[in-house]
């Protein structure tokens, strides 16, 4: 990093491992957090260019009673097969990239020192070289499945499809600069996030307090 550019952290991990928990912890300590899932929701809102293309590609079954994209139905349709998933990515990624660049520019202009980008498919879409530090959050598969079914209302079959569509855990861990474990006590993950923040501040040239 040079000049006054913020230190950029790419935060990713396995499905239901706890990425958002880590992101909230870092945000509470002063990081600007950009959530790719939020960007994805914004680029497919009614009236956005991707909305009409998704409706045409996936049909009325992915449109909710309020006229907005039903994300659960879209996820089921998109992960039904590889071609459908690639079609959704093709439609949405261009808009997400544009919006992501705008959010980064806004955060940098505000004078923030650290930007954390929560990106579930960071490796899959080839973004790892964009960051000063890549962090993977991971947990055992059986733990993640229980969490996903309890907190997201997924079926075991949906979890298995979505998990299988991502890069496997060993490869994500191998390609990460740092790995945070989240298989046990939530307090342990918070402690790990606190240590990570200190490391980020040192790397960014700030005070690790």
């Amino acid at each position: 990093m040079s000049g006054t550019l913020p230190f950029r952290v790419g935060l990713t991990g396995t499905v239901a491992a706890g990425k958002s928990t880590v992101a909230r912890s870092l945000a509470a300590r002063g990081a600007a957090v950009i959530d790719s899932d939020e960007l994805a929701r914004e680029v497919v809102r009614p009236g956005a260019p991707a909305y009409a293309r998704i409706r045409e590609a996936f049909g009325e079954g992915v449109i909710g009673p309020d006229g907005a994209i039903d994300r659960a139905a879209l996820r089921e349709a998109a992960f039904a097969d590889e071609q459908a998933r690639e079609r959704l990515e093709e439609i949405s990624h261009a808009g997400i990239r544009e919006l992501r660049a705008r959010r980064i520019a806004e955060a940098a202009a505000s004078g923030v020192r650290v930007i954390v980008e929560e990106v579930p498919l960071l490796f899959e879409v080839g973004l790892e070289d964009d960051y000063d530090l890549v962090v993977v959050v991971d947990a055992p598969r059986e733990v993640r499945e229980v969490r996903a079914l309890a907190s997201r209302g997924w079926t075991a079959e949906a979890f298995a499809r979505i998990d299988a569509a991502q890069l496997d855990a060993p490869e994500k861990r191998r390609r990460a600069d740092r790995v945070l474990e989240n298989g046990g006590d939530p307090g342990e993950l918070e402690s790990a996030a606190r240590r990570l923040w200190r490391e980020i501040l040192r790397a960014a040239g700030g005070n690790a307090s």
Side-chain angles (χ1 to χ4, degrees), residues 44-59:
V44 299
R45 71 186 188 282
Y51 175 88
R53 296 181 64 195
I54 288 173
R55 192 168 191 162
E56 180 181 358
F58 292 94

Side-chain angles (χ1 to χ4, degrees), residues 23-51:
R24 286 192 295 270
S25 178
L26 299 178
R29 289 175 165 81
V33 173
I34 298 172
D35 183 348
S36 289
D37 281 344
E38 290 184 5
L39 302 185
R41 286 190 287 272
E42 187 166 343
V43 300
V44 299
R45 71 186 188 282
Y51 175 88

Side-chain angles (χ1 to χ4, degrees), residues 158-187:
F159 172 82
R161 283 199 305 273
I162 294 168
D163 191 51
Q166 294 193 6
L167 196 66
D168 62 35
E171 182 63 12
K172 285 188 176 186
R173 295 172 70 99
R174 185 188 70 79
R175 291 164 66 171
D177 297 310
R178 299 292 179 271
V179 177
L180 302 189
E181 306 287 356
N182 188 26
D185 185 342

